[in-house]
Amino acid sequence: MAKRNGNAERILVVDDVASIRIAFSRKLTGEGYECMVAENGENALALLKKYPFALVLLDITMPGMSGRSVLQEIVAKYSDTAVIMITAIDNAETAIELLKMGAYDYIIKPVYFNELPLRVQRALDRRKLMLENKEYRLDLEEKVRKQTDKIRGSFFNSLKSLALALEAKDKYTSGHSQRVADIAVNIAKKLNMTPKEIEQLRFAALVHDIGKIGIKESVINKEDGLTDEEYAYISTHSVIGENILTPVIEDKEILKMVRHHHERYDGRGYPDGLFAQQIPLGARIVAVADMFDAMTTDRPYRKSVSREIVISELKKNASTQFDPKIVAAFIEVIGKTAARHSKQTQAALR
Ligand SMILES: [Fe+2]
């Protein structure tokens, strides 16, 4: 139906022959459509820029801009507008080419006048269907996106719970993962890492010690110094962490950060003895954040130390244990990070 309670669909008739423009326009106005006319391609594009059209009836052969060029513009800029080509060339090849370019249909001149409303209506029906499909697809995409966010969120929360469960096992590290994540994210921002990299790092920092789930509590909470065997045993936690996460985390970058968070800049760390840039950037950041938080909180084998001592310790170990660029970035952001810490950490930072 063309008439829609005063909200008629707007059609543009583009033809250099005045008699055709007038005849088409009269016929379609009589059918209840709102019609506008243009005598060439340039004028047609100016009108398209100004008004939304449901349909354009477009002559192929015109002086100046060809119908083919106008069609290209419409397909590129006004994809919700249907186009029917008007052609005097009774040539199937041209017609097919234009349909491939995005035209809905073509009419060969001379036009059987009674046929015009039917062809127009058919194109408009097809357009309506396409718009409905598009809306449905966009709606569906939005729903899928929301659902994916929900799944990702609940998955993230499950792993966070697992990290917290670990902290319950290790009485000295309450809140450690969250603080390491906060510090790591601040360092990452200072280093202008991308939002995606920052999210990967935040996640890796939260679960970096998840492998300690596989380590005996008696060793984790040992009051005295560790024997070489015990040290070697506890050092397996970074690989255990990677193994725990591998079946559930597809993101290889996160897995690498967990595996390598105890590598040293000079290559004397574990598990693989990687050095300098070989160590993933995120793992180098977690190493600094981890050390800072470990030293500023009480541990089974020692009391916390002051922020100043930790900073001088970090500086001393820059280029041996830690990446000097990351130590420098950390020292710059430490003021901001400290302000966001829990009361407990703030006390430890004094
Ligand atoms: Fe660790």
Side-chain angles (χ1 to χ4, degrees):
M1 291 296 287
K3 277 184 184 168
R4 296 173 194 251
N5 301 327
N7 192 17
E9 284 168 304
R10 191 179 287 132
I11 296 176
L12 176 62
V13 180
V14 189
D15 202 303
D16 58 314
V17 181
S19 59
I20 291 185
R21 288 199 303 274
I22 293 164
F24 275 33
S25 172
R26 274 193 190 146
K27 178 76 180 167
L28 293 171
T29 305
E31 292 289 327
Y33 297 104
E34 184 189 332
C35 261
M36 294 180 93
V37 292
E39 61 185 15
N40 56 43
E42 290 80 359
N43 288 350
L45 290 178
L47 285 170
L48 276 155
K49 206 170 173 184
K50 221 168 162 186
Y51 306 99
F53 287 96
L55 176 76
V56 178
L57 285 157
L58 181 59
D59 189 16
I60 294 181
T61 317
M62 294 181 288
M65 201 174 181
S66 72
R68 184 188 296 260
S69 303
V70 179
L71 173 66
Q72 271 171 341
E73 283 275 313
I74 295 174
V75 170
K77 290 186 185 165
Y78 312 100
S79 58
D80 289 346
T81 300
V83 181
I84 296 178
M85 303 305 295
I86 308 164
T87 176
I89 315 159
D90 190 358
N91 182 335
E93 229 171 274
T94 309
I96 289 165
E97 200 188 323
L98 294 171
L99 292 179
K100 277 184 187 162
M101 276 169 63
Y104 274 50
D105 199 358
Y106 65 96
I107 298 175
I108 297 165
K109 286 192 273 193
V111 177
Y112 294 107
F113 237 48
N114 290 338
E115 206 188 326
L116 182 66
L118 285 172
R119 303 288 285 269
V120 164
Q121 191 55 56
R122 200 168 71 186
L124 288 174
D125 285 346
R126 196 178 135 204
R127 171 181 177 265
K128 189 170 166 241
L129 206 63
M130 286 178 81
L131 289 179
E132 281 169 0
N133 278 349
K134 188 177 160 189
E135 204 175 311
Y136 177 72
R137 201 188 65 235
L138 290 176
D139 188 43
L140 210 61
E141 279 171 4
E142 176 64 12
K143 277 188 183 142
V144 168
R145 197 187 57 72
K146 278 190 182 158
Q147 205 59 23
T148 309
D149 282 353
K150 254 194 199 170
I151 292 167
R152 193 178 290 136
S154 88
F155 176 60
F156 189 77
N157 285 337
S158 314
L159 282 167
K160 243 164 86 175
S161 309
L162 199 59
L164 290 175
L166 165 73
E167 288 177 0
K169 183 178 165 178
D170 179 357
K171 58 185 173 178
Y172 287 97
T173 59
S174 170
H176 172 68
S177 314
Q178 187 61 57
R179 289 193 301 270
V180 170
D182 284 350
I183 298 168
V185 165
N186 281 307
I187 298 173
K189 285 180 182 164
K190 187 79 204 167
L191 295 173
N192 292 323
M193 286 167 72
T194 64
K196 189 186 171 200
E197 287 167 338
I198 292 175
E199 278 321 296
Q200 288 169 325
L201 176 61
R202 185 199 299 280
F203 191 84
L206 272 172
V207 297
H208 73 280
D209 267 346
I210 214 155
K212 283 192 180 165
I213 276 177
I215 305 293
K216 284 182 198 147
E217 276 177 61
S218 57
V219 179
I220 291 178
N221 291 322
K222 202 173 171 197
E223 300 282 342
D224 305 317
L226 297 169
T227 64
D228 287 350
E229 288 75 30
E230 285 167 339
Y231 181 76
Y233 171 58
I234 213 167
S235 299
T236 58
H237 79 276
S238 48
V239 173
I240 295 174
E242 185 196 20
N243 292 342
I244 288 173
L245 296 172
T246 297
V248 282
I249 302 247
E250 282 175 12
D251 193 323
K252 298 266 185 299
E253 296 307 313
I254 292 174
L255 297 174
K256 278 190 219 163
M257 288 183 223
V258 172
R259 180 181 178 92
H260 298 295
H261 77 273
H262 283 292
E263 301 286 2
R264 287 172 53 109
Y265 200 67
D266 58 10
R268 288 168 48 230
Y270 63 85
D272 300 321
L274 301 184
F275 68 96
Q277 314 302 318
Q278 285 181 337
I279 309 164
L281 177 62
R284 278 178 273 149
I285 294 173
V286 171
V288 170
D290 191 19
M291 195 266 197
F292 176 79
D293 192 70
M295 286 191 76
T296 50
T297 46
D298 290 336
R299 286 295 159 113
Y301 39 91
R302 55 146 181 77
K303 288 277 167 210
S304 64
V305 294
S306 74
R307 166 186 172 164
E308 287 69 29
I309 292 176
V310 183
I311 290 175
S312 79
E313 202 59 26
L314 279 168
K315 281 183 182 167
K316 208 165 77 189
N317 291 304
S319 300
T320 51
Q321 189 172 352
F322 305 113
D323 181 340
K325 278 193 190 138
I326 290 166
V327 171
F330 170 66
I331 289 168
E332 274 189 65
V333 297
I334 190 171
K336 285 185 216 162
T337 313
R340 271 198 290 275
H341 274 175
S342 64
K343 273 187 188 169
Q344 182 200 350
T345 314
Q346 288 206 25
L349 291 178
R350 270 186 224 118

